[in-house]
Amino acid sequence: DAGVIQSPRHEVTEMGQEVTLRCKPISGHDYLFWYRQTMMRGLELLIYFNNNVPIDDSGMPEDRFSAKMPNASFSTLKIQPSEPRDSAVYFCASSLLPSGSQPQHFGDGTRLSIL
Amino acid sequence: QQQVKQSPQSLIVQKGGISIINCAYENTAFDYFPWYQQFPGKGPALLIAIRPDVSEKKEGRFTISFNKSAKQFSLHIMDSQPGDSATYFCAAQRGGGADGLTFGKGTHLIIQP
C-alpha cells in the first residue's frame, strides 16, 4: 500500500518567492496533519484537517502560511512570501481515525531551503 | 511553552545494553502518549504508545513506563541493536486522539557495535 506521498522532496528558492508543498494522504484516511521540523523548535503541528475541513490552525506561524484541502486525496501548504526562517523540513501525516485509536502515518517530508 | 520535555538530547549505548529515554509533560489533558522513531531522510514512524490508565506497556524489546502522578513517561529499549540507532521522539495528545501531536525535542540514539 502507498503511504503518505509528499512533493517535492527538496525545494530551494529565493526569499520572497511563493512556495507550494503538496501532500497525498493514505486513501480513506479522515485526518490530515501538517508539521514542521527544525533543529531549534523540533516537530511542531501547523494545522490539521478532518474530512477536508480545517479544525485547528493555531500552529500556523503567520498569515504568510496557508493550507488547503480541496478533496480527500490532496492538500497543499503554501508560503507567500517565503523568508529564510521558513527553512525546515515539512511533514504531512494522515490517520484513519482520531490518533488515539490509529497511528498518524508520516510522509518522508519536504526539505525547504529559502536563500 | 514546551509542553513535553525530553531527555537526554543524545545517547550512546553499547550493543546489548538498555537504552532509556525520559519525557515529562505539563498538560493534564493529554490522554495518549506515543513514541516515534525517525531515521535520516524519513518521516517519524510510530513505535509504541500508551494511555494513562496503565503503568507499563511492552512490545518486543520496547517498553513504555508511565507515571501519571509525576506526569512522566519513559521508553526502554532492551538488548539495544545497531539497527535501533535513530532519533526517538516522545509525544502527547489530548481529546481522545482527535487532535495533533505535541512532540518532545527528540533523542539521537547511537548503538555502538
Side-chain angles (χ1 to χ4, degrees):
Chain A
D1 289 341
V4 175
I5 299 173
Q6 293 187 244
S7 64
R9 288 297 314 276
H10 303 274
E11 175 86 13
V12 180
T13 192
E14 293 187 349
M15 180 176 63
Q17 296 298 306
E18 178 179 290
V19 174
T20 300
L21 312 181
R22 297 173 176 80
C23 174
K24 177 179 171 57
I26 294 173
S27 178
H29 280 194
D30 302 302
Y31 286 78
L32 183 139
F33 305 82
W34 283 99
Y35 293 88
R36 179 171 68 174
Q37 185 174 36
T38 62
M39 289 295 294
M40 289 297 294
R41 300 177 67 88
L43 274 159
E44 302 174 283
L45 175 69
L46 299 177
I47 185 172
Y48 76 92
F49 296 81
N50 176 215
N51 291 323
N52 312 337
V53 177
I55 303 300
D56 183 357
D57 65 354
S58 60
M60 296 287 263
E62 47 197 280
D63 292 345
R64 298 184 296 106
F65 286 69
S66 63
K68 294 181 179 180
M69 192 166 185
N71 57 63
S73 60
F74 183 66
S75 177
T76 60
L77 178 67
K78 187 172 293 186
I79 308 172
Q80 168 62 25
S82 58
E83 297 182 4
R85 59 192 169 124
D86 302 330
S87 298
V89 181
Y90 290 80
F91 287 103
C92 175
S94 69
S95 68
L96 180 59
L97 293 171
S99 186
S101 303
Q102 296 286 335
Q104 290 187 20
H105 297 267
F106 283 74
D108 285 337
T110 295
R111 182 173 295 275
L112 177 64
S113 297
I114 308 297
L115 306 178
Chain B
Q1 180 184 6
Q2 185 183 355
Q3 295 197 56
V4 179
K5 295 183 179 180
Q6 183 172 347
S7 63
Q9 188 174 0
S10 61
L11 181 62
I12 300 175
V13 175
Q14 295 296 315
K15 178 182 176 182
I18 303 174
S19 304
I20 301 174
I21 304 171
N22 301 299
C23 284
Y25 64 97
E26 300 167 4
N27 189 343
T28 55
F30 289 139
D31 56 11
Y32 178 69
F33 301 89
W35 285 87
Y36 279 77
Q37 180 187 55
Q38 185 180 29
F39 294 104
K42 297 293 186 180
L46 180 68
L47 189 62
I48 186 173
I50 197 169
R51 292 192 177 278
D53 53 347
V54 297
S55 60
E56 185 175 283
K57 183 174 182 180
K58 183 176 181 179
E59 291 183 0
R61 297 185 293 109
F62 301 91
T63 299
I64 300 178
S65 297
F66 189 86
N67 186 329
K68 186 174 181 179
S69 61
K71 294 188 287 185
Q72 295 176 346
F73 59 110
S74 61
L75 175 69
H76 291 63
I77 304 174
M78 311 300 288
D79 187 26
S80 299
Q81 299 296 313
D84 297 330
S85 298
T87 301
Y88 292 80
F89 295 91
C90 62
Q93 191 175 39
R94 60 185 180 179
D99 202 0
L101 292 163
T102 299
F103 284 92
K105 287 288 186 69
T107 296
H108 183 49
L109 175 65
I110 296 174
I111 307 300
Q112 290 187 333

